[in-house]
Amino acid sequence: MTGFDESERRMWSGRAGAYADSFAALCAYTVPQLLDAAGVREGTRVLDVGTGPGTAAAAACARGAKVTAVDAEPGMAELARQAAPAAEVKVAVLPELPFADGEFDAVVSNFVINHVGRPRDALAELRRVVRPGGSVAVTVWAVPPASGQALLGRAQQAAGAVRPPELPPLDPGHDFSRDPQGLVGLMESAGLHGAGCETVRWDHLATAEQWWGGAAAGVGCVGQIVLNQSEQVRSEIKRQFELLCPEFARPDGRLALPHAALLARVRR
């Protein structure tokens, strides 16, 4: 396990509920396209890797698929069991999954590859557990981020927040360009040849309170940066956030936050 992986385990420990109440709705947007890309339908043996609160697993069950789901965080796995009672849910950590070679017809992973310390090895493991002729589909956040995705980071920068040392960046030797060419190249290096990739764009709707709530609860890297500041800096981040929110305000009072993600799919 890399230092990045250790940081991720600490970051998400005990925060399943806070994630489900905040950023989970954002990540749910790509689930239908992800399942379509992997060809998930009735009878498909599908593995959902990094299931979180079980959004993709539940959607795959609704299609009549035979679903197995895993997550590294036990709290997430418990939420997934509640959301998708027909699925088999286990606690497991990439890049080592407790399944046989070629056990699944399709493997999906929604915003997970950006949370592992060895992305190439993680993708190689997804390739291992899908049968020849089966499909792998993944999403990651695009870089540079869309304006809605950058909102909290802008507030932190304006407030002078400093990234704490216990949140190490991904080792440059394992990193990749977060654009279609970069993700396809990463998949090629993992033995997933012939991948296609598209950019998915949408406006996520949330109240300012909902969007700030995830960060204030320490969800994700952006939330951990907030929690690791002094009380004075945290207050200034909140003030800067409130100053920036009108850029995204709708007439109904909610924020329309532009986001962009990469969706890649490949047939083994």
Side-chain angles (χ1 to χ4, degrees):
M1 184 176 293
T2 68
F4 183 88
D5 290 312
E6 292 173 353
S7 172
E8 287 284 328
R9 298 289 76 74
R10 292 192 301 269
M11 179 190 304
W12 291 104
S13 178
R15 289 191 169 84
Y19 171 76
D21 291 339
S22 56
F23 301 139
L26 166 70
C27 297
Y29 181 87
T30 53
V31 165
Q33 293 132 298
L34 183 73
L35 298 181
D36 287 347
V40 175
R41 56 180 63 89
E42 186 174 359
T44 303
R45 297 172 302 160
V46 59
L47 173 64
D48 178 21
V49 179
T51 189
T55 306
C61 286
R63 295 186 179 202
K66 184 177 180 180
V67 182
T68 303
V70 299
D71 201 276
E73 169 55 32
M76 294 288 194
E78 182 55 36
L79 289 181
R81 293 185 185 101
Q82 297 171 25
E88 180 183 6
V89 181
K90 300 182 178 183
V91 175
V93 182
L94 282 170
E96 296 180 0
L97 298 175
F99 305 111
D101 294 358
E103 188 168 338
F104 300 96
D105 301 314
V107 179
V108 298
S109 190
N110 196 38
F111 300 113
V112 176
I113 299 303
N114 42 289
H115 289 291
V116 298
R118 291 181 288 161
R120 184 191 65 79
D121 293 347
L123 285 169
E125 183 70 346
L126 302 191
R127 178 186 181 279
R128 181 186 69 80
V129 300
V130 75
R131 65 171 175 80
S135 298
V136 175
V138 302
T139 54
V140 300
W141 295 113
V143 175
S147 57
Q149 187 181 346
L151 171 57
L152 288 164
R154 287 173 61 196
Q156 291 174 346
Q157 184 176 19
V162 177
R163 185 184 179 109
E166 56 267 31
L167 287 178
L170 191 65
D171 187 307
H174 294 301
D175 208 351
F176 62 99
S177 297
R178 309 306 169 95
D179 55 30
Q181 295 78 15
L183 182 53
V184 167
L186 180 70
M187 296 179 80
E188 288 278 348
S189 72
L192 291 166
H193 304 296
C197 184
E198 63 184 289
T199 301
V200 181
R201 301 183 187 276
W202 73 102
D203 285 353
H204 177 64
L205 303 182
T207 66
E209 291 76 16
Q210 288 170 333
W211 203 239
W212 175 254
V219 178
C221 184
V222 69
Q224 288 295 299
I225 292 174
V226 170
L227 288 189
N228 279 277
Q229 307 304 309
S230 67
E231 182 177 350
Q232 180 180 359
V233 173
R234 285 197 300 271
S235 295
E236 181 61 13
I237 296 172
K238 177 72 179 304
R239 189 181 77 86
Q240 293 292 336
F241 170 77
E242 291 170 346
L243 290 173
L244 291 168
C245 279
E247 295 181 21
F248 305 95
R250 287 164 37 110
D252 64 4
R254 291 184 295 174
L255 306 179
L257 300 164
H259 278 72
L262 306 177
L263 169 58
R265 83 289 302 278
V266 67
R267 186 173 295 276
R268 183 183 170 199

